[in-house]
Amino acid sequence: MCACAPGLTGKVVGVAVELQEAEVREIDLRDVFQILKKRWAWLVLLSLISALVSAIVSVYVMEPIYESSTTLMVGKTYEGEQAYLLQYNDVLMANQLVKTYSEIAKSRAVAEQVIRQEKLNITPDEFKGKIEVKPFNDTQLIQITVTDHDPLMAKRLADTAATVFMDKVVQVMKVDNVNVIDVAQVPLNPVKPNVRLNTLVAGLLGLMVALGITFLLEFMDQTIKTAEDVARFLDLPVLGSVPDFDE
């Protein structure tokens, strides 16, 4: 067992503490800018690659989805001299029926009838995943929207769903009080995928990943590169330095 003088023991402890403090890397705002400046090319490159891959996948790999909508109105209609017969109670009753009619439009019976008429090779549950029925709050209007990979089929299914729904209302409610306001149109542009949004999100994600890798590599690098690093991390005076010479 080795016995050390009290003064020597204190110096050894002091050196150990200094070495432990040197292992703790603290960075300030200037360090952040220096790190980003040193690795800016990687940040830009990874962001561009992520955005480019997302754009290619969105345009050439993902199948476009189109949607077409038709709007219906619930309630009695009067023309000419009978127009005054439209009373507040009729409007109120129609507003209350909108929610009920919306559920009828989303029913399995309507889905099965549309599948039979259009000779679709899908299940009623799959068709219900293609259709959206949205009642407009405090109005007599119902919007039926159908999505499909074929724009012509999307328009055709929306019209067929509206027709079957109107027939089902007459059959169930024993009243013919649903009218078409806007017929479905052939969509010109797909609603999915959103190429711009996908590209932007992928670029931002690529940038975040690149930033994470950049700072991880910087923190893992424990080497002393400059005289400023010696003074900063080891708290030792720099007596001199050897410059680099070109061969």
Side-chain angles (χ1 to χ4, degrees), residues 96-170:
Q96 294 175 349
L97 288 175
V98 164
K99 293 183 179 180
T100 302
Y101 283 11
S102 297
E103 295 301 319
I104 295 176
K106 293 184 293 185
S107 66
R108 186 180 187 87
V110 172
E112 291 176 345
Q113 183 63 29
V114 173
I115 291 173
R116 283 195 296 268
Q117 287 189 206
E118 297 295 334
K119 297 179 175 60
L120 302 177
N121 189 25
I122 59 176
T123 65
D125 289 336
E126 290 175 335
F127 178 78
K128 291 170 69 174
K130 297 165 63 70
I131 186 173
E132 178 186 8
V133 180
K134 182 175 67 174
F136 293 95
N137 293 333
D138 301 324
T139 69
Q140 302 169 244
L141 302 179
I142 299 176
Q143 185 180 65
I144 298 178
T145 302
V146 177
T147 59
D148 196 87
H149 296 296
D150 184 356
L152 295 176
M153 180 58 70
K155 188 263 185 197
R156 181 173 174 178
L157 290 179
D159 287 335
T160 303
T163 301
V164 172
F165 160 65
M166 294 170 66
D167 294 340
K168 185 63 64 175
V169 168
V170 174

Side-chain angles (χ1 to χ4, degrees), residues 166-187:
M166 294 170 66
D167 294 340
K168 185 63 64 175
V169 168
V170 174
Q171 177 183 347
V172 175
M173 305 298 292
K174 309 301 181 182
V175 60
D176 184 6
N177 62 343
V178 180
N179 300 278
V180 177
I181 301 299
D182 291 326
V183 298
Q185 301 294 324
V186 178

Side-chain angles (χ1 to χ4, degrees), residues 8-198:
L8 181 58
T9 303
K11 291 181 180 179
V12 172
V13 174
V15 172
V17 172
E18 289 180 357
L19 291 176
Q20 291 179 356
E21 292 177 351
E23 293 179 355
V24 180
R25 301 289 303 273
E26 296 181 357
I27 63 173
D28 56 20
L29 193 57
R30 289 175 298 178
D31 293 325
V32 174
F33 283 120
Q34 289 298 325
I35 295 172
L36 297 179
K37 182 179 179 181
K38 181 171 62 175
R39 302 183 185 273
W40 69 269
W42 285 104
L43 299 176
V44 175
L45 182 61
L46 288 178
S47 299
L48 291 179
I49 291 177
S50 301
L52 181 60
V53 170
S54 176
I56 293 175
V57 171
S58 298
V59 174
Y60 297 104
V61 178
M62 299 179 66
E63 192 172 1
I65 297 178
Y66 299 85
E67 72 174 22
S68 182
S69 301
T70 180
T71 304
L72 310 173
M73 187 183 75
V74 178
K76 298 179 181 180
T77 58
Y78 300 94
E79 298 179 357
E81 296 180 355
Q82 294 181 329
Y84 71 93
L85 295 177
L86 182 61
Q87 302 293 329
Y88 173 76
N89 290 336
D90 295 329
V91 176
L92 185 61
M93 179 63 68
N95 289 343
Q96 294 175 349
L97 288 175
V98 164
K99 293 183 179 180
T100 302
Y101 283 11
S102 297
E103 295 301 319
I104 295 176
K106 293 184 293 185
S107 66
R108 186 180 187 87
V110 172
E112 291 176 345
Q113 183 63 29
V114 173
I115 291 173
R116 283 195 296 268
Q117 287 189 206
E118 297 295 334
K119 297 179 175 60
L120 302 177
N121 189 25
I122 59 176
T123 65
D125 289 336
E126 290 175 335
F127 178 78
K128 291 170 69 174
K130 297 165 63 70
I131 186 173
E132 178 186 8
V133 180
K134 182 175 67 174
F136 293 95
N137 293 333
D138 301 324
T139 69
Q140 302 169 244
L141 302 179
I142 299 176
Q143 185 180 65
I144 298 178
T145 302
V146 177
T147 59
D148 196 87
H149 296 296
D150 184 356
L152 295 176
M153 180 58 70
K155 188 263 185 197
R156 181 173 174 178
L157 290 179
D159 287 335
T160 303
T163 301
V164 172
F165 160 65
M166 294 170 66
D167 294 340
K168 185 63 64 175
V169 168
V170 174
Q171 177 183 347
V172 175
M173 305 298 292
K174 309 301 181 182
V175 60
D176 184 6
N177 62 343
V178 180
N179 300 278
V180 177
I181 301 299
D182 291 326
V183 298
Q185 301 294 324
V186 178
L188 300 179
N189 300 309
V191 293
K192 297 179 181 178
N194 190 327
V195 180
R196 291 183 179 179
L197 180 60
N198 291 350

Side-chain angles (χ1 to χ4, degrees), residues 190-211:
V191 293
K192 297 179 181 178
N194 190 327
V195 180
R196 291 183 179 179
L197 180 60
N198 291 350
T199 302
L200 178 61
V201 172
L204 292 177
L205 290 178
L207 178 61
M208 293 174 61
V209 172
L211 286 172

